[in-house]
Amino acid sequence: MHAGLASLALALGLAAPAAAQPVLLATIGMIGDPAQRMAGDCVSVEVLIGPGLDPHLYQARPSDIARLRDADRIVSLGLGLEGRLGSVLERVGAAVLGAHVPADALLTHGEAPDPHIWMDPALWSTTFPALAEVLTEMAPDCADSIARGRDAEMARARALDAWAAEALDSIPPTQRILLTAHDAFQYFSHRYGLENAAIQGISTESEPSIADIDATARIATERGVPAAFVETTLNPRAVRALVEAAAARGHALEIGGSLYSDALGEAGSGAETWPGMIVANVTTITRALGGTVPPVPGEVLP
């Protein structure tokens, strides 16, 4: 506020208007959710690609251009996740969280890095210091509270990881095979000792082929897998075709439920936060594959 106007406001007993919070625009909810808890009231966090939307296929809309232009900072995951949006994010100078993951911790699909690192809570939490650093640059007066928020989120990730391991360890050894539509669960399976089998690769740019579906049906039949899972960001027809292909081979494959892979859930779904997303997935997978879900510790969910 101009000094003269500020003096007049004080003389009249009026409070000077608070400065607007800086805006952090995260490409996906799995970044925006922990960022908002770290930031508290110091930074306003918005998400570009919302619930139910596939970041692999997302294209910037006219309204997004204004949001990208007006944000004080933009944070993306990188590693090829925001495929069609990648060149735009590069031009606007988005911070890339994937660049802070140790190279030897990254999994690949063919020659491409697998970007779905949020599926491993322990690995995902290694990006939180870099995220907190961006927030601190935006709101330096809040450095201490952001640091406390960072530490709280890292502790939450440790508790989430321990709970998930306990739940998934209860699945019988012969049923520890995760059949999904696309390969978003490689980190998840690697972390928790499941065998990962998806109809198609890490990108959803193309439709799975009949050969892909038949090969996966053969695995399901030969291994006696009880269930396959659809994903909330993808059309379920590929998994339904998998169920039919398994039935043609004499195997009754069930659809075990819906998993959250590339986006958080809608408000009220229970998966509208990143920890809630992992809890929902672990619960669905564990029950469908014959395990037992332990109570969720209070410190896991926000």
Side-chain angles (χ1 to χ4, degrees), residues 28 49 53-58 81-84 118 233 262-263:
I28 56 174
I49 306 171
L53 299 177
D54 184 345
H56 297 286
L57 304 180
Y58 191 82
L81 177 73
E82 301 97 344
R84 298 184 181 181
W118 61 84
T233 53
D262 288 339

Side-chain angles (χ1 to χ4, degrees), residues 119-123 155-168 191-192 274 278 300:
M119 288 298 188
D120 177 342
L123 184 59
R156 187 191 307 280
R158 289 193 293 272
L160 175 62
D161 180 50
W163 172 83
E166 180 183 355
L168 295 161
R191 179 68 180 173
Y192 299 115
W274 167 68
I278 300 299
V300 165

Side-chain angles (χ1 to χ4, degrees), residues 22 36 48 69 86 106 143-144 163 167 173 177 192 227 229 245 287:
Q36 186 62 83
L48 185 67
R69 181 190 63 231
L106 287 174
D144 290 344
W163 172 83
I177 303 172
Y192 299 115
F229 302 89
R287 287 175 176 166

Side-chain angles (χ1 to χ4, degrees), residues 34-197:
Q36 186 62 83
R37 284 192 296 277
M38 291 183 210
D41 295 329
C42 298
V43 175
S44 177
V45 178
E46 300 178 0
V47 174
L48 185 67
I49 306 171
L53 299 177
D54 184 345
H56 297 286
L57 304 180
Y58 191 82
Q59 297 188 46
R61 300 167 295 189
S63 59
D64 293 336
I65 302 303
R67 296 181 71 193
L68 290 163
R69 181 190 63 231
D70 294 341
D72 294 283
R73 292 295 301 272
I74 301 164
V75 178
S76 67
L77 179 72
L79 302 176
L81 177 73
E82 301 97 344
R84 298 184 181 181
L85 198 59
S87 60
V88 176
L89 294 169
E90 187 174 352
R91 286 200 302 272
V92 297
V96 180
L97 278 193
H100 297 275
V101 178
D104 60 358
L106 287 174
L107 301 177
T108 60
H109 193 281
E111 296 182 359
D114 185 339
H116 302 90
I117 54 179
W118 61 84
M119 288 298 188
D120 177 342
L123 184 59
W124 189 228
S125 68
T126 65
T127 69
F128 291 175
L131 187 54
E133 186 175 336
V134 172
L135 292 167
T136 302
E137 291 170 356
M138 298 175 70
D141 291 345
C142 295
D144 290 344
S145 64
I146 291 170
R148 289 192 295 272
R150 174 202 63 208
D151 293 346
E153 289 304 302
M154 295 183 77
R156 187 191 307 280
R158 289 193 293 272
L160 175 62
D161 180 50
W163 172 83
E166 180 183 355
L168 295 161
D169 279 350
S170 71
I171 298 171
T174 58
Q175 297 180 191
R176 300 177 64 81
I177 303 172
L178 184 57
L179 293 182
T180 57
H182 93 293
D183 205 354
F185 292 86
Q186 187 176 200
Y187 289 100
F188 183 92
S189 298
H190 184 263
R191 179 68 180 173
Y192 299 115
L194 302 177
E195 185 176 337
N196 189 59

Side-chain angles (χ1 to χ4, degrees), residues 181-274:
H182 93 293
D183 205 354
F185 292 86
Q186 187 176 200
Y187 289 100
F188 183 92
S189 298
H190 184 263
R191 179 68 180 173
Y192 299 115
L194 302 177
E195 185 176 337
N196 189 59
I199 298 172
Q200 67 181 120
I202 60 175
S203 176
T204 55
E205 288 278 359
S206 61
E207 292 289 328
S209 67
I210 294 174
D212 292 332
I213 292 170
D214 190 60
T216 311
R218 185 173 64 252
I219 292 172
T221 302
E222 292 175 352
R223 304 288 296 278
V225 181
F229 302 89
V230 298
E231 298 171 42
T232 59
T233 53
L234 298 179
N235 190 307
R237 61 176 172 260
V239 176
R240 289 173 180 161
L242 172 63
V243 170
E244 293 174 2
R249 291 173 173 270
H251 177 59
L253 181 67
E254 301 289 336
I255 294 182
S258 295
L259 302 181
Y260 298 91
S261 54
D262 288 339
L264 300 182
E266 298 283 354
S269 65
E272 64 266 35
T273 66
W274 167 68

